[in-house]
Amino acid sequence: MSVLVYTENWDGKFKKLSYELVSYATAVAKMINSSVSVLSIGKVDEKELSTLGNYGAQKILSCEKEILSSLDNQLYASVISEIALKINASVIVIANNNTGKAIAPRLSVRLKAGIGSGVSKLPLSTNPFTVYKKAYSGNAFAHVILKSEVKIITLAQNSFDLTETPNIASIEKIDIDINSSAAKTKVQEVLRQTGRILLTDADIVVSGGRGMKSPDNWPPLLELAETLGAATACSRPVSDEGWRPHEEHTGQTGKIIAPNLYIAVGISGATQHLAGVSASKYIVAINIDKDAPIFEVAQYGIIGDAMKVLPKLVTALKNR
Amino acid sequence: MVVRSLHATNVRYNNPMIRQIIFAIILLITFSVFFYTISRLISYFRLTKPSFPVRDFGKRFGIMMKVAFGQTKIFRKPVIGFLHALVFWGFCVIIFGSIEMVFDGLTGSEKAFRFFGPVHDFIMASGDVFAFLIAVSIIIFMARRFFFHIKRFEGTEMKKKSHLDAAVALMLILLLMLSLAAMNMGYVGNKSATGGDIAGLYPVGKLLAAIFSGLSADNFKVIYEISWWVHILLIFFFANYLPYSKHFHVFMSVPNVFLSRLEPLGKLTNMDNITKEVKLMLDPESTSAAVPVAAAFERFGVKDAEDATWKNYFDSLSCTECGRCTSVCPANITGKKLSPRKIMMDLRARMKEKGPLMVKNGKDYNDNRSLLRDYITEEELWACTTCNACAKECPININQPSLIVDMRRYLVLEEASAPGELKSVFNNIENNGAPWQYSAEDRLNWARDLIVPVMSDVFAKGEKPEYLLWVGCAGAFDDRYKKVIRAFVKILTHLNISFAVLGKEETCTGDPARRAGNEMLYQMQALQVIAKLKAYEIKKVITLCPHCYNTFKNEYPDLDGNYEVINYLQILYKYSIEGKFKINDSSLKDISVTYHDPCYLGRANGIYDHPRFIIEKLTGNYFEMHRNKSFALCCGAGGAQMFKEAEKGEKEIFIERTEDAIKTGATVIATACPFCMTMLTDGLKYKNKEGDIKNLDIAELVAQSLGL
Amino acid sequence: MKILVCISNVPDTTTKIKFSEGDATIDTTGLQWVINPWDELSLTCALELKDDPANGIKSVTVAHVGTVSSEPTIRKALAIGADDAIRINAESSDAYFVAAQLAEAIRKEQFDVILCGIESSDFNNSAVGGMISEFLNIPSVSAVSEIKIEKGILVITREIDGGKEIITAPVPLVAIVQKGIAREPRIAAMRGIMLARTKQIKILEPIDVEPLTQITVLEKPVPRSACKFIDAEDPSKLIDLLCNEAKVI
């Protein structure tokens, strides 16, 4: 019996998300008296693989097959399920990101395993195995029993804290027999956005809205972001006006993010924008209008002129 | 030699029989050509759809006297309008002289109507004077056209052909007047020289004859004869040229005014074929069988010329391409493609193209072209704010907006085609009963701490409040406008007026759907609202939003929703008159106010004075914008524009209007509509004036003055 | 090519969900039901593909697992432009059950492209699409933001972290789509609604499948605490709170 974690890698490196999965799996393993194995697919060096051990991984399986260098759902599902069966995994933990959403359902059918999708807490009980997840787009939370023998959990990003459980993990390179024609989908081209912290990965996001009045007013906001090591975002009118790049647009029709801290500057808090950021752990609003709806969802607020408040915040941060 | 031949000619001409015969032949040719033209036009009319029934002759006669003969709408541009009025009145008088000339021509008489005595004198004299006045006016018009750059004479629809048409028409009229003047001069000159009887009075003719006194009696006679023939032949030519020219309005304008659409400008015509379908959709259990699709092939809306009504076509034939409509169109003013004039010209041109083909090959003939897209693009149609400035401005009461909306109806009801944002709006109205995505459960959030009676509670207790206060979707969900509703509710409570709201049971009236062409969704909403009001036995409705007001008042009766509909300004006005307002509040002492007329209160429903009366009771510093009342510029939000991106243009309409307001120097812009408020508040932000100028609703001003 | 779009029936997203603490299901009285927004995107995508004759789409079918009470939603899909519909007559219990039913229905016909939305707005699971593809043992591509057809091959754009991948795939295929896949929403024209009355909804009986998961309890979300205001003159207090109280910096 073991808990199997599948993690992807990004150019041979793991992200905080990977360690969240392992931390979570370690906690679950403790609940069911089991061990944690991690499967990594792709070219990752041993040093990087061993970091998984810091969060509780006991066994690390690395599969570097060339044919798996890009994601083919069918192929990945067959590889992961083969490993899961081999190590007798009873719980499989995957991220609830695009990759996880692509693979988990196929795994579920292969292994006849029930899925808890977008889980945000440790299982509420192990018998029956009950997970906790959001439903009705956050208007309710559901307790879901996974009735099957094997269970799959896709973990919501940034919902579980990293917990270090240092140990030396064994690293095993595995080889799987795969027919070269098995991958039916082929990647023709990859278009990457370079540089900057990915908005969806950032822990802290500083975002500007129409209340900033003009693109020329952004430097204090950018300075705050830099001081905090935060990513930058914006509301729809700002992106439409061309004040900020399109990729920064968060909201119903833009990116949906869930950082630890979302600082909304000069954003009124229209529902469409909030739809993109309401899952943030903490929302801070800075706005000159005391009646701005954003103050109804923010935990902390400053009613004032952003141009005056932002520099003061930067100074306060620098003085720590 | 020349004298002799002229004399011979004279002799020949003096032979009445030949003259009469020639005249009769020319007259016959003229009538035949005219008859041919008219019968072709009638065959095109037969291809069009029915329109409103022509009744209320008394009312129509009154409108005709005022607008056509009184030229009241032409006078909206006072100076140039006056010159046009002169030309028109001149034509009205000169026509009698022309009839006399025809009579003379056929019977060989000279000035046959002389026996009318002083009446004849008067008509001849006025005709004579008018000939001079018209000639001067025409020269001014020509100078304007050829030497000055008049914006409304330009436009993508004004091709070389239009300019040539205008030039030809002006030239012809000038020649007509010159020939008439020459004719009269010749007549007077000849009669004076020969001592003959002058039938009629010719003040100008007399003057000209005196100036050219050097001419002999015979000279004058020749001038008279030639001018007479030139004049009558020009008339015959002109009469037959007109139906093919933009000047057809000479014939068509007076009838077009008589046949005016009598409904308020804000009212759109109900589509009865849609009502049948919608009633079925709402009650699938109903015993009436669905109209089989094949049989119901009648097209919804207007795609091509044959889908338009006879009145649309009549409008298009009457349109003289003056461009006044386009010059006041907020979309056109700000550089969008829409031009109301072009819409009418395109219909006329398309019927000219397809009419003959359909007459020849049958009504189903398809030439693979259409009014929609080949003539009028979707971009033009979706730029309209339905502000009715064009319809209000048109001197002959053409109604452009109804055709524009009918074409939107085709796009939505037949092709499911509309700008993406509007499709979302349609889905929202259908799914959650409001143009934006908000839950019906939140419709009372604005009331918070206020005591607001809710219909379901009140009715359950067996009470019947006097008024239903219709909050509207903006009142329920727009953060800024919620304050206006609150202010008005405080006033109602203060005045002890018995009212209740529907609260969570309220849904969109369907107005944005209707203006955007989605007649089906509008009627679904309307029928549901009407059913709800019926269940609560509602008789009187107060609304704040002018769009809701217009829909309840003018459009719901078509679907059997009949109520006494009162706009909140009328309540405020009534109670102000009755002295129930405590005026002279010091907080309003220092403000200066300008008022923006909402299109759906002003042009659409004629409410201009109530708001001004109320404002002037509150503050002595009231300033009118230069474009006000029926000339007011739309804020740009109507016609569903509020919910979509503006079409491509040079400027935003709301900025143009905000500039009008800022120019008055007022510190407060008063509005009476949630859309206008959103637009003007945004406008102030864009112009960085939010610190200096406030946008407040009249309800807020009154509440403030009452200390509420 | 024949396209199948799987649709589920969900409460309108603005609805205030009502239930008592501890209930396993919500109160459905007076609810407005709509096509799951992500499935509606799939349907719009399918219709956009069909609009272009060069794509050679023969028909767009919608499939749904549900009882007769969801027929209005199916009719709406037909009114928007789907050609015909299949309804598997069963209460939808969990994703596995639904996917198994749909896979069985698809097995009986030949569909080239199966479109599913990546998420449903009721249970926020991302499962049915992937499960169908595994039941049918055909390839799937997820997080799809664009589909093009070039010479009978599907050219698909898939969203990845910080970018996109362009993928080619053969048919039959399951494409699990997300935002960006459709240019604009669709509405039902009057004409469409009238035609929809004549389009066919095929009713199938369900196969025997045991669901793998079950919802036992619904909880209300913890209401957010009121906003704590910090004086604009002394914003450093905010930094203190974020450091010590919220512990996010």
Side-chain angles (χ1 to χ4, degrees):
Chain A
M1 263 236 301
S2 55
V3 177
L4 172 65
V5 174
Y6 164 69
T7 173
E8 58 193 303
N9 67 85
W10 293 264
D11 292 325
K13 296 265 178 271
F14 295 127
K15 283 206 271 206
K16 181 162 164 262
L17 174 59
S18 321
Y19 304 128
E20 282 169 20
L21 296 172
V22 180
S23 304
Y24 184 86
T26 306
V28 172
K30 224 197 277 184
M31 287 170 80
I32 60 171
N33 226 337
S34 174
S35 64
V36 177
S37 301
V38 180
L39 170 63
S40 158
I41 298 177
K43 283 195 172 44
V44 184
D45 66 40
E46 279 211 19
K47 188 157 177 277
E48 188 69 12
L49 288 169
S50 65
T51 59
L52 297 168
N54 299 340
Y55 297 90
Q58 286 146 314
K59 208 151 104 180
I60 299 169
L61 306 164
S62 172
C63 178
E64 291 187 355
K65 271 218 113 70
E66 185 58 42
I67 198 177
L68 297 171
S69 58
S70 62
L71 173 65
D72 174 283
N73 299 351
Q74 211 169 9
L75 218 47
Y76 270 56
S78 90
V79 168
I80 298 173
S81 61
E82 199 180 309
I83 303 291
L85 288 170
K86 202 150 113 189
I87 67 167
N88 205 2
S90 61
V91 179
I92 304 172
V93 177
I94 306 181
N96 194 41
N97 58 4
N98 283 343
T99 307
K101 289 179 188 178
I103 302 172
R106 299 200 75 130
L107 272 183
S108 160
V109 171
R110 270 191 175 255
L111 299 170
K112 219 157 169 199
I115 309 181
S117 191
V119 168
S120 53
K121 273 191 189 171
L122 282 176
L124 301 170
S125 91
T126 53
N127 194 6
F129 198 91
T130 314
V131 294
Y132 182 89
K133 63 176 295 279
K134 82 164 189 224
Y136 294 102
S137 306
N139 286 319
F141 284 91
H143 297 192
V144 184
I145 297 181
L146 306 181
K147 300 200 272 195
S148 50
E149 256 189 61
V150 183
K151 300 120 176 103
I152 301 174
I153 293 178
T154 68
L155 186 66
Q157 189 165 0
N158 203 26
S159 62
F160 194 76
D161 289 333
L162 297 183
T163 350
E164 296 204 22
T165 315
N167 76 109
I168 311 291
S170 67
I171 300 175
E172 190 187 316
K173 289 234 177 3
I174 51 173
D175 194 13
I176 300 212
D177 222 349
I178 305 174
N179 194 330
S180 58
S181 67
K184 306 238 186 67
T185 66
K186 285 181 183 34
V187 175
Q188 304 293 346
E189 206 184 330
V190 183
L191 305 158
R192 272 278 154 86
Q193 263 172 268
T194 49
R196 278 180 273 129
I197 313 166
L198 263 193
L199 198 48
T200 38
D201 283 341
D203 281 334
I204 307 178
V205 175
V206 182
S207 182
R210 214 160 29 118
M212 294 286 287
K213 295 275 163 59
S214 143
D216 302 327
N217 290 337
W218 243 257
L221 190 153
L222 296 173
E223 211 192 333
L224 178 62
E226 209 187 298
T227 317
L228 286 169
T232 49
C234 69
S235 65
R236 172 136 182 218
V238 166
S239 125
D240 282 350
E241 292 283 328
W243 295 358
R244 296 300 300 171
H246 184 62
E247 293 77 45
E248 285 195 2
H249 167 210
T250 35
Q252 198 165 58
T253 50
K255 292 209 173 59
I256 310 229
I257 59 175
N260 286 338
L261 175 61
Y262 183 77
I263 303 179
V265 189
I267 293 178
S268 64
T271 345
Q272 297 90 323
H273 182 76
L274 291 179
V277 305
S278 57
S280 311
K281 284 229 183 61
Y282 284 93
I283 298 177
V284 171
I286 302 171
N287 200 302
I288 202 157
D289 177 9
K290 66 170 171 39
D291 294 319
I294 192 140
F295 289 121
E296 284 168 43
V297 294
Q299 284 92 340
Y300 302 106
I302 299 183
I303 302 169
D305 183 349
M307 291 296 105
K308 296 205 180 87
V309 172
L310 288 171
K312 287 198 183 136
L313 287 173
V314 172
T315 315
L317 277 166
K318 287 195 172 141
N319 286 342
R320 298 198 132 256
Chain B
M1 275 302 211
V2 176
V3 174
R4 211 186 334 127
S5 67
L6 266 176
H7 192 73
T9 325
N10 259 347
V11 167
R12 218 180 307 132
Y13 277 144
N14 279 335
N15 182 336
M17 278 310 290
I18 294 181
R19 195 178 185 229
Q20 280 166 260
I21 290 168
I22 293 171
F23 188 86
I25 292 171
I26 294 172
L27 186 64
L28 194 64
I29 295 171
T30 304
F31 273 142
S32 308
V33 175
F34 193 75
F35 181 73
Y36 170 73
T37 305
I38 297 305
S39 65
R40 272 180 43 126
L41 285 175
I42 291 175
S43 71
Y44 305 155
F45 269 102
R46 287 222 175 86
L47 299 165
T48 58
K49 290 244 166 64
S51 185
F52 47 80
V54 180
R55 293 192 285 243
D56 301 306
F57 291 107
K59 200 166 171 195
R60 292 180 173 285
F61 185 79
I63 290 175
M64 184 186 76
M65 288 314 291
K66 210 171 77 156
V67 174
F69 291 107
Q71 297 274 283
T72 47
K73 291 184 98 183
I74 274 281
F75 273 107
R76 284 168 72 91
K77 287 190 185 305
V79 176
I80 206 72
F82 177 65
L83 291 178
H84 177 276
L86 284 181
V87 174
F88 174 72
W89 291 326
F91 266 58
C92 289
V93 167
I94 290 169
I95 198 170
F96 292 106
S98 313
I99 296 171
E100 187 188 49
M101 287 172 75
V102 169
F103 200 82
D104 285 345
L106 284 174
T107 62
S109 52
E110 190 184 73
K111 304 276 178 201
F113 292 170
R114 68 178 75 206
F115 63 85
F116 281 116
V119 176
H120 183 254
D121 286 345
F122 175 73
I123 290 182
M124 288 295 113
S126 351
D128 190 40
V129 171
F130 268 119
F132 169 69
L133 292 173
I134 293 173
V136 168
S137 301
I138 297 296
I139 291 171
I140 294 174
F141 292 158
M142 284 168 113
R144 271 182 106 218
R145 238 174 218 280
F146 304 143
F147 303 124
F148 292 85
H149 170 63
I150 306 293
K151 188 152 185 273
R152 68 182 164 95
F153 294 157
E154 314 290 325
T156 52
E157 67 270 25
M158 301 312 282
K159 309 232 169 8
K160 240 197 172 96
K161 186 181 137 199
S162 299
H163 294 301
L164 195 63
D165 194 1
V168 166
L170 287 173
M171 208 63 215
L172 282 174
I173 299 174
L174 184 62
L175 289 174
L176 277 166
M177 297 306 127
L178 291 177
S179 57
L180 178 57
M183 205 174 91
N184 291 342
M185 177 190 81
Y187 180 73
V188 171
N190 172 264
K191 293 296 177 198
S192 306
T194 57
D197 214 7
I198 299 182
L201 286 171
Y202 306 94
V204 178
K206 192 162 162 204
L207 198 66
L208 289 171
I211 292 171
F212 292 101
S213 54
L215 296 170
S216 70
D218 272 346
N219 292 149
F220 278 124
K221 183 81 179 166
V222 166
I223 289 170
Y224 172 72
E225 283 290 340
I226 292 176
S227 303
W228 191 96
W229 277 100
V230 166
H231 189 81
I232 201 67
L233 288 174
L234 278 176
I235 288 177
F236 289 161
F237 175 73
F238 197 51
N240 273 315
Y241 171 72
L242 287 178
Y244 297 93
S245 149
K246 73 186 191 80
H247 257 70
F248 199 9
H249 91 285
V250 168
F251 287 140
M252 300 294 272
S253 55
V254 176
N256 200 51
V257 174
F258 185 81
L259 295 168
S260 291
R261 191 169 175 267
L262 295 178
E263 312 274 30
L265 281 180
K267 179 178 172 176
L268 287 173
T269 311
N270 199 61
M271 290 177 77
D272 295 332
N273 49 3
I274 292 283
T275 310
K276 280 200 216 98
E277 283 299 327
V278 172
K279 286 198 167 141
L280 253 163
M281 281 160 68
L282 289 174
D283 179 18
E285 259 74 26
S286 69
T287 50
S288 59
V291 184
V293 180
F297 190 60
E298 192 199 344
R299 187 178 273 164
F300 297 122
V302 171
K303 179 183 187 223
D304 210 348
E306 71 271 16
D307 302 319
T309 66
W310 63 260
K311 185 57 169 69
N312 293 138
Y313 186 47
F314 207 104
D315 278 345
S316 76
L317 290 172
S318 313
C319 171
T320 193
E321 302 174 15
C322 75
R324 286 170 178 229
C325 55
T326 296
S327 73
V328 294
C329 170
N332 194 277
I333 289 172
T334 51
K336 324 270 184 312
K337 261 176 111 178
L338 173 65
S339 158
R341 166 175 53 192
K342 177 176 182 292
I343 305 281
M344 301 323 293
M345 285 172 68
D346 281 349
L347 176 60
R348 183 175 183 177
R350 175 57 180 159
M351 186 57 105
K352 184 169 173 209
E353 177 183 31
K354 200 180 180 193
L357 294 170
M358 286 196 286
V359 167
K360 183 163 165 215
N361 299 308
K363 207 165 168 208
D364 293 328
Y365 182 76
N366 182 6
D367 64 343
N368 292 319
R369 278 167 67 77
S370 182
L371 179 64
L372 177 65
R373 298 191 181 100
D374 292 303
Y375 283 81
I376 302 174
T377 61
E378 287 153 274
E379 193 181 337
E380 292 162 62
L381 295 171
W382 291 116
C384 178
T385 67
T386 66
C387 73
N388 282 295
C390 52
K392 191 71 183 177
E393 199 65 29
C394 180
I396 56 173
N397 286 357
I398 289 176
N399 192 293
Q400 305 88 330
S402 58
L403 181 56
I404 292 172
V405 175
D406 276 341
M407 292 184 81
R408 285 182 175 183
R409 284 168 168 175
Y410 168 79
L411 285 169
V412 174
L413 299 173
E414 291 282 0
E415 291 188 3
S417 165
E421 309 99 317
L422 293 187
K423 288 196 242 179
S424 301
V425 168
F426 296 154
N427 284 335
N428 293 340
I429 293 176
E430 192 175 337
N431 293 334
N432 60 274
W436 312 283
Q437 273 188 345
Y438 287 112
S439 170
E441 296 287 314
D442 289 333
R443 274 185 183 269
L444 271 176
N445 291 1
W446 61 269
R448 276 200 311 239
D449 48 321
L450 295 176
I451 300 184
V452 180
V454 177
M455 210 62 211
S456 53
D457 297 333
V458 163
F459 202 73
K461 289 195 223 146
E463 289 163 26
K464 283 215 196 106
E466 189 180 355
Y467 297 103
L468 172 70
L469 173 66
W470 185 264
V471 174
C473 299
F477 301 124
D478 180 297
D479 286 316
R480 177 63 185 94
Y481 202 68
K482 284 180 194 172
K483 297 182 186 165
V484 175
I485 293 286
R486 288 175 62 86
F488 187 65
V489 162
K490 286 181 188 166
I491 296 171
L492 285 179
T493 312
H494 173 83
L495 294 173
N496 254 318
I497 295 175
S498 146
F499 76 97
V501 300
L502 280 179
K504 298 174 188 180
E505 291 189 287
E506 213 181 87
T507 56
C508 178
T509 58
D511 162 81
R514 185 169 234 204
R515 301 313 127 190
N518 198 338
E519 183 70 6
M520 169 193 72
L521 181 59
Y522 156 71
Q523 291 198 17
M524 269 178 67
Q525 290 298 120
L527 289 170
Q528 287 172 336
V529 170
I530 291 169
K532 188 145 289 163
L533 263 53
K534 187 167 178 198
Y536 285 124
E537 298 168 28
I538 303 290
K539 301 276 181 303
K540 298 189 190 175
V541 180
I542 302 176
T543 80
L544 283 88
C545 169
H547 291 257
C548 298
Y549 172 74
N550 179 65
T551 303
F552 270 106
K553 181 160 204 289
N554 297 320
E555 302 182 332
Y556 275 12
D558 284 344
L559 295 169
D560 297 322
N562 293 291
Y563 320 98
E564 188 187 328
V565 184
I566 302 146
N567 183 270
Y568 80 116
L569 294 173
Q570 291 161 325
I571 297 270
L572 294 176
Y573 174 76
K574 175 172 168 227
Y575 283 86
S576 176
I577 294 258
E578 292 170 9
K580 297 208 167 89
F581 284 167
K582 203 172 54 206
I583 311 146
N584 298 324
D585 175 67
S586 58
S587 73
L588 294 179
K589 185 167 49 87
D590 293 325
I591 64 169
S592 51
V593 182
T594 184
Y595 172 68
H596 164 74
D597 289 281
C599 301
Y600 273 80
L601 220 48
R603 273 186 294 271
N605 283 289
I607 297 179
Y608 300 112
D609 297 326
H610 288 346
R612 287 169 169 82
F613 179 88
I614 296 163
I615 293 171
E616 281 169 2
K617 282 271 177 208
L618 297 173
T619 165
N621 307 319
Y622 175 68
F623 299 99
E624 205 65 87
M625 294 190 226
H626 73 282
R627 284 184 277 207
N628 64 73
K629 296 201 187 157
S630 74
F631 293 91
L633 183 72
C634 178
C635 72
Q641 298 302 327
M642 172 82 170
F643 305 103
K644 63 185 270 291
E645 301 292 329
E647 299 299 319
K648 276 196 299 276
E650 281 146 23
K651 197 176 181 183
E652 295 274 13
I653 296 171
F654 72 93
I655 294 183
E656 178 86 11
R657 187 51 169 171
T658 308
E659 286 172 358
D660 278 3
I662 294 172
K663 271 195 205 114
T664 63
T667 56
V668 171
I669 304 177
T671 49
C673 167
F675 291 168
C676 299
M677 173 167 254
T678 305
M679 292 317 224
L680 289 173
T681 302
D682 264 2
L684 289 172
K685 282 195 192 135
Y686 269 84
K687 303 289 285 183
N688 285 322
K689 289 277 184 194
E690 313 149 78
D692 314 316
I693 305 175
K694 298 264 171 292
N695 173 211
L696 293 168
D697 190 280
I698 292 184
E700 292 176 309
L701 289 171
V702 172
Q704 202 179 333
S705 81
L706 294 172
L708 298 172
Chain C
M1 280 204 210
K2 283 170 66 181
I3 301 183
L4 179 79
V5 178
C6 299
I7 62 172
S8 65
N9 197 23
V10 298
D12 172 64
T13 39
T14 62
T15 316
K16 298 277 163 124
I17 304 294
K18 290 197 184 81
F19 59 92
S20 305
E21 198 79 21
D23 281 354
T25 52
I26 60 169
D27 179 6
T28 57
T29 45
L31 275 188
Q32 172 76 15
W33 293 91
V34 297
I35 303 174
N36 171 34
W38 282 271
D39 296 335
E40 191 164 355
L41 286 176
S42 314
L43 178 58
T44 307
C45 168
L47 295 171
E48 280 175 9
L49 288 170
K50 186 168 174 219
D51 276 346
D52 184 354
N55 289 330
I57 306 296
K58 199 169 126 204
S59 65
V60 173
T61 308
V62 292
H64 172 72
V65 175
T67 61
V68 73
S69 59
S70 23
E71 291 227 337
T73 302
I74 300 177
R75 286 271 169 224
K76 175 93 192 276
L78 292 171
I80 293 176
D83 297 299
D84 54 359
I86 300 170
R87 177 171 71 79
I88 296 116
N89 189 25
E91 288 275 2
S92 66
S93 41
D94 82 336
Y96 185 83
F97 175 85
V98 169
Q101 304 299 338
L102 290 168
E104 183 64 24
I106 295 167
R107 242 190 280 271
K108 300 204 173 87
E109 326 247 338
Q110 296 282 68
F111 288 105
D112 300 288
V113 182
I114 295 140
L115 295 177
C116 300
I118 196 171
E119 197 177 317
S120 69
S121 65
D122 47 6
F123 300 110
N124 303 115
N125 291 330
S126 302
V128 171
M131 289 178 173
I132 292 176
S133 65
E134 192 61 40
F135 274 120
L136 297 173
N137 198 21
I138 58 177
S140 65
V141 182
S142 187
V144 173
S145 62
E146 194 177 351
I147 299 179
K148 287 205 279 250
I149 301 179
E150 286 168 23
K151 296 194 195 79
I153 306 275
L154 294 174
V155 177
I156 295 174
T157 305
R158 160 170 78 193
E159 300 287 310
I160 57 170
D161 282 342
K164 304 182 211 271
E165 281 179 344
I166 315 279
I167 299 177
T168 51
V171 293
L173 174 89
V174 175
I176 296 139
V177 308
Q178 60 170 43
K179 265 190 320 233
I181 188 72
R183 283 180 294 112
E184 288 180 352
R186 293 238 160 173
I187 54 169
M190 184 77 249
R191 192 60 61 191
I193 292 177
M194 288 162 72
L195 285 170
R197 283 196 215 110
T198 62
K199 290 181 185 168
Q200 198 209 22
I201 302 181
K202 188 153 70 168
I203 318 282
L204 296 176
E205 286 308 307
I207 56 171
D208 220 348
V209 173
E210 208 41 55
L212 297 178
T213 65
Q214 187 188 351
I215 297 183
T216 50
V217 162
L218 288 174
E219 262 178 33
K220 306 234 194 227
V222 178
R224 276 191 187 267
S225 50
C227 183
K228 241 184 213 161
F229 285 101
I230 292 102
D231 187 3
E233 295 305 313
D234 189 14
S236 63
K237 289 219 175 66
L238 173 65
I239 307 296
D240 291 334
L241 287 164
L242 289 175
C243 262
N244 305 323
E245 192 176 88
K247 298 206 182 88
V248 282
I249 54 174

